[in-house]
Amino acid sequence: MKKISLLSTAAFIGFLAVPLQAGQEVYKQVAPPPPPLYGLGFYGAIDAGANVYQNRGDDRTFTDNNPNSPFFGDSLEVNPKNDVGFFGGVKLGYVFGTGVVRPTVEGDFFYNGFRGGANFTLRDSFDDVVAQRNVTTWINTGAFMANFILRFAPGNQRFQPYAGAGVGIYYAESAGVEVVDPVTGRVPINTGGGRSHADLAWQVVAGSDYFFNPQWSAFIEYKFLNYTSTQIDTNQDRDLRQHLVGAGVRYFFH
């Protein structure tokens, strides 16, 4: 009888355990979603800024050393102007890969305008000032560059610095020459027209993006831009070197 009682108790407990197990919920481990990836694939951008400094050559002095010349001993001082200008343009590019280091190719197309000219001082053989003139012109250029860039996406990828270089061509056109007498303010010469020139260009770029979301970013950028003068045959370096600083927004199409 004792054995039958034990068996009955075990069977009763078993019947109770079945509905308890059937009512238990089964939890499945769900992996968290992967973190978002910022700045991938094709993008377009607009930017603008200033060419904060340009090297149009050092000051030069030309002296007449011909003893048979009526102007023997006279000298002409030329002081090129390096005024600040403006640039603005668009970019189209593609970012390769999703790692920390991401190679990028980019087309960089921008307008670059600045004021040029020089101050001229003519002195006689006794170093007295004979005449002074102030020559001013506005130069409009368009640059068409192909850049290769390395982008860096550490951590959460919101902050992405980059650096690279590019080559291309530029087209420049002078808006004319205005000659001003610095003493009287008169303008004895104003050509009202200009000349054009096209040649090779190269640049070095560096900057950084900050991403608001995986598609939109704001960026700042520095460019060292060099306009060559391969078509001008002189015994002096006539390349125009500029330092450009700007900012813009970038949109990724992924």
Side-chain angles (χ1 to χ4, degrees), residues 170 195-199 228-239:
Y170 74 93
R195 301 180 62 183
S196 61
H197 178 73
D199 218 318
T228 68
S229 57
T230 59
Q231 299 179 22
I232 302 176
D233 187 14
T234 67
N235 57 2
Q236 299 288 333
D237 180 7
R238 307 305 299 170
D239 286 9

Side-chain angles (χ1 to χ4, degrees), residues 2-207:
K2 188 175 182 180
K3 183 180 292 188
I4 294 174
S5 177
L6 289 175
L7 290 174
S8 300
T9 302
F12 179 73
I13 293 175
F15 281 118
L16 289 177
V18 170
L20 288 175
Q21 291 179 358
Q24 289 179 349
E25 295 185 9
V26 178
Y27 294 95
K28 183 178 181 181
Q29 187 70 25
V30 178
L37 296 175
Y38 295 87
L40 304 180
F42 287 102
Y43 67 82
I46 58 173
D47 66 336
N51 42 28
V52 295
Y53 178 76
Q54 53 190 327
N55 180 10
R56 301 185 62 246
D58 298 327
D59 297 346
R60 301 185 64 189
T61 300
F62 302 89
T63 304
D64 187 350
N65 295 319
N66 183 3
N68 299 319
S69 171
F71 304 105
F72 175 68
D74 290 1
S75 63
L76 178 64
E77 298 174 2
V78 182
N79 310 110
K81 295 180 179 180
N82 296 306
D83 294 346
V84 171
F86 164 83
F87 80 92
V90 298
K91 299 172 180 287
L92 296 173
Y94 185 84
V95 179
F96 295 89
T98 59
V100 175
V101 180
R102 301 174 183 177
T104 303
V105 291
E106 178 183 84
D108 190 7
F109 319 104
F110 55 93
Y111 163 82
N112 179 18
F114 52 93
R115 191 172 296 280
N119 296 321
F120 297 88
T121 302
L122 179 64
R123 299 178 184 272
D124 61 19
S125 57
F126 300 100
D127 204 32
D128 294 327
V129 176
V130 176
Q132 289 180 307
R133 293 294 183 269
N134 182 333
V135 178
T136 301
T137 182
W138 183 262
I139 301 173
N140 299 297
T141 75
F144 310 89
M145 311 296 291
N147 297 331
F148 176 77
I149 295 170
L150 287 179
R151 300 180 63 89
F152 302 92
N156 63 10
Q157 305 175 34
R158 283 186 176 271
F159 176 72
Q160 294 189 14
Y162 60 88
V167 296
I169 59 173
Y170 74 93
Y171 175 82
E173 185 174 63
S174 169
V177 175
E178 182 181 82
V179 179
V180 180
D181 187 323
V183 178
T184 65
R186 293 190 314 110
V187 183
I189 300 175
N190 189 337
T191 63
R195 301 180 62 183
S196 61
H197 178 73
D199 218 318
L200 301 176
W202 58 268
Q203 65 180 1
V204 177
V205 300

Side-chain angles (χ1 to χ4, degrees), residues 241-252:
R241 300 175 179 88
Q242 295 181 316
H243 299 269
L244 281 63
V245 178
V249 292
R250 205 182 315 261
Y251 178 77
F252 290 81

